[in-house]
Amino acid sequence: MAKIVAVTACPTGIAHTYMAAESLKVGAQKLGHEIKIETMGSAGVENRLTDDDISQADVVIIAADTNVDTERFAGKPIYMTSTGLAIKDGAAVINEALSKAKVTVAKEVAKIEEIKAQRSAQRSGVYKHLMTGVSYIIPVVVAGGLCIALSFAFGIHAAEQEGSLAAALMRIGGGAAFALMVPVLAGYIAYSIADRPGLTPGLIGGMLASQIGAGFLGGIIAGFIAGYVALGLKKSIKLPKSLEGLMPVLVLPLISSLITGLLMIYVIGTPVKGIMDWLTFRLNTMSTTNAAILGLALGAMMAVDMGGPVNKVAYAFAVGLLGSNTFEPMAAVMAAGMTPPLGIALSTFIAKNKYTKEEREAGKAALVLGMSFITEGAIPFAAADPLRVIPSIIAGSAVAGALSMSFHCALRAPHGGIFVLPIPNAVENLGFYIIAILAGSIVTALLVSLLKPNKNVNVINTK
């Protein structure tokens, strides 16, 4: 029996981190090994590895899609992989680690850091930086959106009464949390590009974008400008040794903020505001056919990689529009994100002969994840049978998104799954919205059930 320690981490720290940890845990149990797993999620580090854990370990597994410090593992065999591979087959990753992990010394730690830097460079660019910003605004938007939804529970116009609880909730959600959305998005895009020197100009540029009315699109542009300006200044400005302390607290924040701010005010802000106004107008005046097409596209994007880059782009698009009081795309995105695990769960119930006992048990977990709007609940099934499962869940999510937009359903809360549906006025056209979710789930379930072959297992009927 081997003693294993592992670390799992993903860029957003919401689902892949914990699903990889669970898969590794199940794999270790199956193989008869002892494992302790540290998760680096959105809530911070959990189940932290101690020095004793590391010293007693036979191998270290790092399943991560983001940077993880490896210095504390010097002298131990380290095996590095992705969360996706760990989720797909935890036992296979453990076997691979035990056979291929290499002992690290100081030189090899440096080599690993170099490899990590290369991987980071491969993941760099627009997507990586944008997703960093999105991962930081998700808690802000969720908290703010749910406060707004709770405010509407007292009535659509209840917040207009000064001093009321509804007004306080609206002030917390709309006045504070949503006011921070664009600055935080811009700030952490810039932070991803230039590290700490990018944060100040990014926050300032994002606040200016919000004040000008350039919305989330202006915030994204401000974040990239601030980040690359700060990075360029950091590399190009050289001060005497005695004045280097002024760089992070005076020189970089001041110059980068001035450049970013002036560009936003005099060059970028007004044109981007015009684009946002046009986009908001078009979305709010779309015909039913055009709305269905947009919903279909957003729905398919939510399912195609189940929490991956395409999924996050669709979600970020819908979340960004909340600040412009455009709520229909958010409803379509959440409906489409719920249907893959819900449809899979339904399939494991109506077509038991197509699944092993373990898969049917996993279907119960997928049901809970689907109800919670965690699309990643479908990943284990898609990884095991991608050619049949992925087209099925894309079709179901496309149907859910198209129906939601066609019915003009609107959602004021950016997350929460079925748990926000009972909040009065949080969802417009609630009955039709439930129909859209059910229809998408049924389409997925029927397609998966038809396409998958029978399993050679005995299915025991229990009543």
Side-chain angles (χ1 to χ4, degrees):
M1 181 182 75
K3 286 190 174 182
I4 304 166
V5 294
V7 178
T8 61
C10 68
T12 55
I14 296 174
H16 284 69
T17 298
Y18 301 101
M19 293 176 72
E22 182 63 25
S23 180
L24 289 172
K25 182 180 177 182
V26 171
Q29 290 173 347
K30 188 185 297 183
L31 297 170
H33 300 308
E34 183 182 328
I35 191 168
K36 180 175 179 180
I37 305 168
E38 175 181 297
T39 54
M40 301 175 67
S42 57
V45 176
E46 297 175 79
N47 203 31
R48 189 183 295 274
L49 299 175
T50 65
D51 291 341
D52 285 342
D53 293 328
I54 296 168
S55 66
Q56 294 172 18
D58 298 308
V59 67
V60 178
I61 298 174
I62 297 177
D65 305 315
T66 188
N67 289 338
V68 174
D69 182 19
T70 57
E71 288 185 12
R72 56 182 166 151
F73 304 121
K76 287 290 177 181
I78 295 180
Y79 180 76
M80 302 187 75
T81 187
S82 66
T83 57
L85 290 174
I87 291 168
K88 184 176 181 180
D89 194 339
V93 167
I94 289 170
N95 282 332
E96 190 89 352
L98 291 171
S99 63
K100 294 187 177 179
K102 294 183 178 179
V103 176
T104 57
V105 292
K107 280 186 179 178
E108 288 174 332
V109 169
K111 188 175 180 183
I112 288 173
E113 294 301 322
E114 185 181 341
I115 292 169
K116 282 164 55 182
Q118 290 171 356
R119 287 183 180 178
S120 179
Q122 291 169 358
R123 293 193 298 265
S124 65
V126 173
Y127 173 72
K128 177 194 171 187
H129 305 316
L130 177 61
M131 285 304 103
T132 299
V134 169
S135 70
Y136 278 98
I137 67 164
I138 286 174
V140 176
V141 174
V142 170
L146 290 175
C147 285
I148 292 171
L150 289 170
S151 171
F152 285 127
F154 294 93
I156 290 293
H157 302 292
E160 294 173 8
Q161 184 178 345
E162 287 293 329
S164 65
L165 179 58
L169 290 168
M170 182 61 72
R171 185 175 178 185
I172 294 167
F178 270 36
L180 283 171
M181 182 176 72
V182 174
V184 170
L185 174 64
Y188 281 97
I189 288 174
Y191 177 83
S192 176
I193 296 167
D195 209 352
R196 287 181 62 183
L199 190 57
T200 298
L203 290 168
I204 292 171
M207 181 58 76
L208 287 169
S210 185
Q211 292 172 348
I212 292 167
F216 81 97
L217 187 57
I220 291 170
I221 295 171
F224 280 102
I225 290 173
Y228 285 113
V229 166
L231 184 63
L233 291 172
K234 185 168 69 170
K235 289 181 177 179
S236 60
I237 296 178
K238 304 296 180 186
L239 293 179
K241 202 80 172 171
S242 58
L243 298 177
E244 279 184 354
L246 294 176
M247 281 286 284
V249 296
L250 175 61
V251 178
L252 291 178
L254 175 61
I255 299 177
S256 58
S257 297
L258 282 173
I259 294 172
T260 303
L262 291 171
L263 284 173
M264 289 302 299
I265 292 169
Y266 291 112
V267 181
I268 295 162
T270 302
V272 175
K273 179 183 183 299
I275 293 170
M276 281 299 298
D277 290 344
W278 175 84
L279 178 61
T280 303
F281 173 78
R282 295 297 298 171
L283 287 170
N284 289 331
T285 58
M286 276 192 302
S287 66
T288 300
T289 302
N290 288 337
I293 292 171
L294 175 61
L296 185 145
L298 289 173
M301 290 173 71
M302 287 299 293
V304 71
D305 57 359
M306 297 156 286
V310 179
N311 170 286
K312 288 296 187 291
V313 167
Y315 182 75
F317 172 76
V319 166
L321 291 171
L322 292 176
S324 304
N325 294 320
T326 303
F327 305 111
E328 291 185 10
M330 189 70 252
V333 160
M334 189 166 90
M338 292 169 66
T339 56
L342 289 177
I344 293 288
L346 179 59
S347 177
T348 63
F349 181 76
I350 64 174
K352 294 182 179 180
N353 60 320
K354 304 293 181 88
Y355 299 91
T356 65
K357 181 181 178 182
E358 291 77 13
E359 287 173 331
R360 293 195 299 275
E361 287 299 314
K364 297 174 184 177
L367 176 65
V368 175
L369 292 170
M371 291 192 297
S372 306
F373 181 34
I374 299 176
T375 316
E376 289 88 342
I379 287 177
F381 297 90
D385 192 1
L387 294 180
R388 295 182 180 91
V389 173
I390 292 177
S392 302
I393 62 176
I394 290 174
S397 290
V399 168
L403 288 176
S404 176
M405 290 293 292
S406 298
F407 295 149
H408 298 290
C409 301
L411 176 67
R412 289 177 168 82
H415 216 291
I418 66 166
F419 304 104
V420 300
L421 302 188
I423 299 175
N425 303 310
V427 183
E428 290 182 20
N429 298 322
L430 177 59
F432 284 113
Y433 191 55
I434 293 172
I435 290 171
I437 295 170
L438 291 175
S441 302
I442 291 169
V443 167
T444 291
L446 291 176
L447 286 174
V448 172
S449 300
L450 288 170
L451 292 174
K452 285 182 75 68
N454 289 338
K455 297 279 188 180
N456 293 321
V457 294
N458 293 321
V459 178
I460 299 173
N461 240 346
T462 56
K463 291 187 179 180

